[in-house]
């Protein structure tokens, strides 16, 4: 275990590497604690994966994350600053949440109301609503029993394991499914309906994992949507980063764009500053929101790296097509899933063969229905994503071209329309491109995968165990990737520094 943070560090100037959502939230928290904070960002603007993209013709897209849950974690930052969140950032609960399209032509709507969703499943898939309610209740119980420990606290501090929350989590262990996989749990819950199993298996992709390997513990993830709700921010996901950067700037945080950090400077076992191409800066506190692998490989070259952690299997990445579509599809919502016919084959391709299956599941996010200015009148902005392996030197131009045709075939068949003929603008983001823009190792979206029981404990901690004054936040460290977990990582880091 690392030595305790000293009180003398409380008001030291702090540097944050990377203006992704975790770095922005950490900057807000440290500024509120009295630190002078500087954020160094390699790109021309903030957001990291949470950037925005505008294509010719007036099509605006959220560049990366598209799902928003646990909005109170954003509200919390404004409240800590003495602001009314609704005056700076607004959102609405989605209803319905997702439209699902199965290869046999079945379409199922995931309603926000759990009872209404259960009735929808009973009507469309003939699974008794009571069985759906039982499953969702079990998901809620697992989340309630473990979230306070495994998501909101450092797993690498002895004090964590002396709390009552841990005792509650330990008591729940027999029901969490540590010895089975997500798919096994879902198949046991709904043995008569593989389509419903596939629907719940897809929640493994929320942290870049494989439902056929990931532990059944992750079956708590559906509760985030079906219990706590999915939300849409006014202005899109980019508005989250935009509003928090404005808050940070009001608190005195300085953002230095187009200034990548070249080295984290250390001496006698503690941080002393940063070096960029422009200057050498003195800092007694440094928080890396950069992926932990390039942080060690590129910025801490003189420090021993935690090789076991850095060698953990990577999460999946994404292949994203941003399409301006020349008509509207009223049967589509904000979130739409077009399932493949062989889910196991799809995940075997990603995690075993490091390629993309010939028939992948397709996710389509459309925000223009809620934000009309995101597309010209009568048109839509389609964010089209396929889960793919992280970059290991694959022939991406060939894979992209092949997958584009498969995606168009899948959605065109489901919608009864030649979607390819409707594309008015296009941009593609593949794993090498994701790595180039965000420094995510191999373009992996969530750092390491969660394809084993101990994955949560094997993630890099939020602090350095060798270098005093060095901390880590963001999706590649504890508690994981995605907007809510990155915000929680910021809370954990700020707590480690200021408490």
């Amino acid at each position: 275990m690392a030595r305790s943070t000293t009180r003398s560090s409380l008001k030291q100037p702090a540097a944050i590497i990377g203006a992704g959502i975790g770095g922005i939230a950490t900057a807000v928290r440290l500024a509120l604690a009295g630190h002078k904070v500087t954020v160094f960002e390699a790109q021309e603007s903030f957001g990291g994966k949470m950037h925005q993209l505008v294509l010719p013709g007036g099509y605006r897209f959220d560049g990366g994350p598209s799902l928003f849950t646990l909005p109170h974690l954003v509200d919390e930052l404004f409240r800590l600053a003495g602001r009314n969140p609704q005056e700076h950032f607004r959102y609405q609960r989605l209803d319905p949440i997702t439209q699902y399209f199965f290869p046999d032509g079945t379409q199922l709507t995931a309603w926000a109301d759990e009872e209404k969703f259960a009735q929808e499943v009973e009507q469309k898939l003939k699974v008794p609503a009571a069985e759906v309610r039982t499953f969702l209740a079990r998901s809620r119980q697992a989340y309630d029993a473990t979230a306070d420990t495994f998501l909101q606290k450092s797993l690498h501090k002895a004090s964590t394991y002396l709390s009552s929350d841990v005792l509650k989590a330990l008591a729940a262990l027999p029901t969490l499914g540590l010895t089975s996989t997500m798919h096994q749990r879902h198949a046991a819950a709904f043995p008569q309906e593989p389509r419903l199993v596939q629907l719940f298996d897809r929640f493994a992709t929320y942290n870049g994992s494989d439902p056929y390997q990931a532990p059944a513990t992750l079956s708590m993830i559906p509760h985030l949507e079906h219990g706590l709700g999915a939300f849409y921010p006014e202005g899109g996901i980019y508005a989250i980063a935009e509003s928090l950067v404005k808050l940070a700037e009001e608190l005195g945080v300085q953002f230095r764009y187009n200034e990548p950090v070249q080295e984290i400077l250390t001496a006698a076992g503690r941080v002393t500053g940063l070096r960029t191409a422009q200057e050498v800066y003195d800092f007694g506190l440094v928080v890396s929101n950069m992926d932990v692998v390039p942080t060690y490989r590129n910025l801490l070259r003189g420090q021993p790296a935690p090789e076991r952690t850095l060698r953990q299997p990577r999460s999946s990445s994404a292949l994203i097509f941003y399409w301006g579509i020349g008509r509207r599809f009223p049967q589509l919502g904000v979130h739409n899933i077009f399932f493949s016919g062989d889910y196991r084959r799809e995940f075997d391709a990603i995690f075993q063969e490091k390629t993309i299956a010939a028939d992948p599941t397709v996710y389509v996010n459309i925000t223009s229905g809620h934000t009309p200015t995101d597309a010209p009148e009568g048109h839509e902005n389609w964010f089209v994503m396929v889960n793919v392996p992280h970059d290991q030197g694959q022939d991406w131009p060939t894979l992209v071209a092949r997958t584009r045709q498969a995606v168009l075939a899948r959605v065109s068949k489901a919608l009864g329309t030649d979607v390819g003929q409707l594309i008015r603008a296009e941009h593609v983001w593949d794993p090498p491109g994701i790595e180039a823009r965000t420094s995510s190792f191999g373009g992996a979206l969530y750092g390491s995968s969660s394809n084993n029981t101990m994955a949560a404990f094997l993630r890099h901690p939020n602090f350095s165990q060798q270098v005093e004054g060095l901390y880590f936040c963001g999706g590649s460290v504890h508690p994981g990737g995605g907007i809510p977990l990155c915000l929680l990582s910021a809370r954990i880091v700020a707590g480690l520094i200021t408490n």
Side-chain angles (χ1 to χ4, degrees), residues 94-172:
L94 287 175
D95 190 19
I97 302 171
T98 306
Q99 298 291 348
Y100 291 99
F101 298 83
F102 294 92
D104 64 0
T106 301
Q107 180 179 345
L108 187 144
T109 300
W111 299 101
D113 180 83
E114 289 190 6
E115 179 58 32
K116 191 174 181 181
F117 173 62
Q119 293 297 332
E120 171 85 359
V121 171
E122 182 170 276
Q123 178 186 354
K124 298 291 183 61
L125 304 182
K126 310 307 178 186
V127 175
E131 294 182 12
V132 178
R133 290 194 298 269
T134 298
F135 176 84
L136 293 177
R138 193 175 184 183
S139 177
R140 179 180 66 252
Q141 291 164 1
Y143 180 88
D144 290 344
T146 59
D148 285 347
T149 295
F150 295 110
L151 300 182
Q152 301 189 33
K153 298 178 181 178
S154 171
L155 296 183
H156 304 83
K157 291 287 188 179
S159 58
T160 297
Y161 298 92
L162 302 176
S163 69
S164 59
D165 292 333
V166 171
L167 296 178
K168 182 172 69 171
L170 292 175

Side-chain angles (χ1 to χ4, degrees), residues 375-442:
E377 186 175 356
H379 292 214
E380 292 180 334
N381 63 332
W382 282 26
F383 168 107
V384 183
M385 189 189 84
V386 172
N387 294 304
V388 303
H390 73 283
D391 179 38
Q392 292 181 280
Q394 296 92 327
D395 180 358
W396 288 108
T398 298
L399 288 173
V400 168
R402 189 188 76 190
T403 303
R404 184 181 188 275
Q405 295 306 310
V407 167
L408 287 171
R410 166 65 59 199
V411 297
S412 295
K413 180 180 179 181
L415 299 175
T417 301
D418 185 352
V419 172
Q421 296 298 315
L422 299 172
I423 298 175
R424 302 291 181 262
E426 180 173 19
H427 180 73
V428 179
W429 207 23
D430 61 11
I434 292 171
E435 180 173 28
R437 182 178 177 89
T438 70
S439 295
S440 301
F441 182 65

Side-chain angles (χ1 to χ4, degrees), residues 283-304:
F283 289 102
L285 287 173
V286 172
V287 181
S288 179
N289 184 49
M290 188 180 186
D291 187 299
V292 70
V293 175
T295 296
Y296 277 98
R297 302 294 190 224
N298 302 332
L299 307 187
L300 288 164
R301 291 186 292 271
Q303 294 292 328

Side-chain angles (χ1 to χ4, degrees), residues 246-464:
K246 184 177 179 181
L247 174 62
E249 289 175 336
E250 291 173 358
L251 296 172
V253 175
Q254 181 183 12
F255 288 83
R256 299 185 65 90
Y257 300 113
N258 294 310
E259 189 169 354
V261 172
Q262 296 178 336
E263 185 179 4
I264 298 172
L265 304 176
T266 65
R270 71 162 298 113
V271 159
T272 61
L274 298 176
R275 179 174 60 83
T276 74
Q278 286 89 326
E279 194 172 335
V280 173
Y281 300 87
D282 294 329
F283 289 102
L285 287 173
V286 172
V287 181
S288 179
N289 184 49
M290 188 180 186
D291 187 299
V292 70
V293 175
T295 296
Y296 277 98
R297 302 294 190 224
N298 302 332
L299 307 187
L300 288 164
R301 291 186 292 271
Q303 294 292 328
E307 295 297 340
R308 182 186 180 198
T309 297
L310 301 190
R311 287 197 298 265
Q312 288 298 305
R314 297 294 97 187
S315 77
S316 59
S317 184
L319 172 59
I320 306 171
F321 301 96
Y322 305 88
W323 288 339
I325 298 294
R327 59 161 281 193
R328 299 188 66 183
F329 288 84
Q331 67 270 48
L332 299 180
V334 176
H335 304 295
N336 309 274
I337 298 288
F338 299 83
F339 275 123
S340 68
D342 188 342
Y343 221 29
R344 183 182 290 273
R345 171 74 192 112
E346 188 173 343
F347 285 97
D348 283 348
I350 294 171
F351 289 98
Q352 308 302 326
E353 302 165 28
K354 312 302 181 185
T355 189
I356 308 173
D359 174 31
T361 292
V362 180
Y363 166 71
V364 179
N365 173 248
I366 304 170
T367 62
S368 53
H370 284 264
T371 306
T373 54
D374 282 355
E377 186 175 356
H379 292 214
E380 292 180 334
N381 63 332
W382 282 26
F383 168 107
V384 183
M385 189 189 84
V386 172
N387 294 304
V388 303
H390 73 283
D391 179 38
Q392 292 181 280
Q394 296 92 327
D395 180 358
W396 288 108
T398 298
L399 288 173
V400 168
R402 189 188 76 190
T403 303
R404 184 181 188 275
Q405 295 306 310
V407 167
L408 287 171
R410 166 65 59 199
V411 297
S412 295
K413 180 180 179 181
L415 299 175
T417 301
D418 185 352
V419 172
Q421 296 298 315
L422 299 172
I423 298 175
R424 302 291 181 262
E426 180 173 19
H427 180 73
V428 179
W429 207 23
D430 61 11
I434 292 171
E435 180 173 28
R437 182 178 177 89
T438 70
S439 295
S440 301
F441 182 65
L445 297 183
Y446 306 93
S448 58
S449 72
S450 295
N451 287 338
N452 65 72
T453 301
M454 298 302 294
F457 299 92
L458 294 175
R459 278 191 170 273
H460 195 284
N462 301 103
F463 58 93
S464 172

